Amino acid sequence: MPQIFARKVNALPLLSLAGALLGGVAAVVFVWYYFSPEYTDVGYAPEQPVPYSHRLHVDQLGMDCQYCHSFVKVADISNVPATETCMNCHTVVKPQSLALASVRESWATDASIPWIKVHQLPDYAHFSHAIHTNSGVGCETCHGRIDQMDVVRQEEPLSMGWCLECHREPEQYLRPNEEITTMGYIQSSDFVERNLERIRTEGVHPPTNCSACHY
C-alpha cells in the first residue's frame, strides 16, 4: 500500500510541541515584564492640582523633606502637607500667583487640596515609614532624587522582590539617621562594615517572612 503522507510529516508533532513550549515561554516572559511594577508603575508621574516643584523647593531653596512630610519618623504613613504648611511661606511669597490659586482657595474654604497619590502599595502590604527611617533607610532609597524632580514620579517598582533585596542585605542600603533626608548622599568607603556593626548593636534584622508585611 503506498504511503499517504510523506515521512517529513512525522516531524509535525515534535514541531508543534516545540512551538507550544516556545510560545508558553514567550507568554510567561511577556507577562513577567509587561505586567510587572517595573513596567506599569515606574515612571508614573500624574499631573497634580498644584504645580509643586521639588527641584525648586528642595534643591534650590534647601527645604528639608521633614518640613512638609513631618510624620516620616513617627508614623507608618508619610503625610501630605496641610495647606497651612504651604501658607506659612506663601502668605508672603508670591501671594498673588495664579499657580497658587488652588492653595489660597483651600486655605480660605478649609477644603483639602486633592493631591494625587504617586506611590501606591496594595492594601494587603503593610509598610511603616517610621520603622524604616529610624533604621537608616533614606528617602532617596525608595523615592529617588526627588530634589531633581519638577513633577514627582515613581522611580522604583516597590515590588515584593525589590523590597526583599534590601531586607536580605540591609548593610548595602543603610545610612546614618542624620542623613536620612540627604539627597545625593555618598557612602563612606567602609559603609558596609559600619552598617554591619550597627545591625549587630541595634538589632536591625529586617524580616523576610510573609507575615511581616502581609497581615
Side-chain angles (χ1 to χ4, degrees):
M1 187 178 209
Q3 282 276 68
I4 298 176
F5 300 105
R7 286 185 178 277
K8 61 183 179 181
V9 175
N10 293 334
L12 285 178
L14 292 176
L15 291 175
S16 299
L17 178 60
L21 289 174
L22 289 174
V25 171
V28 169
V29 171
F30 180 87
V31 172
W32 173 79
Y33 179 73
Y34 289 103
F35 285 65
S36 68
E38 286 87 344
Y39 186 81
T40 60
D41 298 347
V42 172
Y44 176 56
E47 183 178 351
Q48 299 290 352
V50 179
Y52 181 90
S53 170
H54 281 77
R55 184 194 302 273
L56 170 63
H57 290 81
V58 180
D59 184 47
Q60 297 179 24
L61 299 180
M63 290 178 62
D64 187 271
C65 304
Q66 294 178 90
Y67 180 76
C68 296
H69 305 290
S70 52
F71 291 178
V72 292
K73 287 190 174 181
V74 296
D76 289 342
I77 299 173
S78 174
N79 58 304
V80 174
T83 303
E84 180 182 3
T85 303
C86 305
M87 293 303 291
N88 285 341
C89 295
H90 288 294
T91 51
V92 293
V93 178
K94 296 188 175 182
Q96 302 302 321
S97 170
L98 292 177
L100 298 174
S102 296
V103 177
R104 293 193 297 273
E105 181 181 358
S106 170
W107 180 243
T109 61
D110 201 29
S112 299
I113 299 172
W115 299 105
I116 300 172
K117 190 174 178 64
V118 178
H119 300 85
Q120 306 277 357
L121 283 182
D123 292 338
Y124 55 77
H126 174 75
F127 176 88
S128 170
H129 276 81
I131 290 175
H132 287 79
T133 54
N134 287 298
S135 297
V137 179
C139 306
E140 179 186 356
T141 301
C142 299
H143 297 293
R145 291 297 301 272
I146 291 286
D147 62 314
Q148 297 180 355
M149 299 181 190
D150 289 313
V151 178
V152 174
R153 64 182 177 274
Q154 184 168 329
E155 285 287 287
E156 302 292 348
L158 309 184
S159 61
M160 184 173 70
W162 180 82
C163 294
L164 284 172
E165 288 179 6
C166 182
H167 277 225
R168 287 168 177 154
E169 294 186 296
E171 67 275 8
Q172 298 292 335
Y173 301 93
L174 303 183
R175 61 175 71 179
N177 279 16
E178 61 271 20
E179 301 289 354
I180 290 299
T181 62
T182 301
M183 293 290 152
Y185 175 71
I186 299 175
Q187 295 276 20
S188 61
S189 58
D190 62 342
F191 79 97
V192 173
E193 289 76 12
R194 287 174 177 268
N195 283 338
L196 287 172
E197 176 62 19
R198 177 180 183 176
I199 289 168
R200 185 185 67 80
T201 58
E202 296 184 14
V204 179
H205 298 297
T208 56
N209 57 296
C210 302
S211 61
C213 302
H214 306 290
Y215 56 81

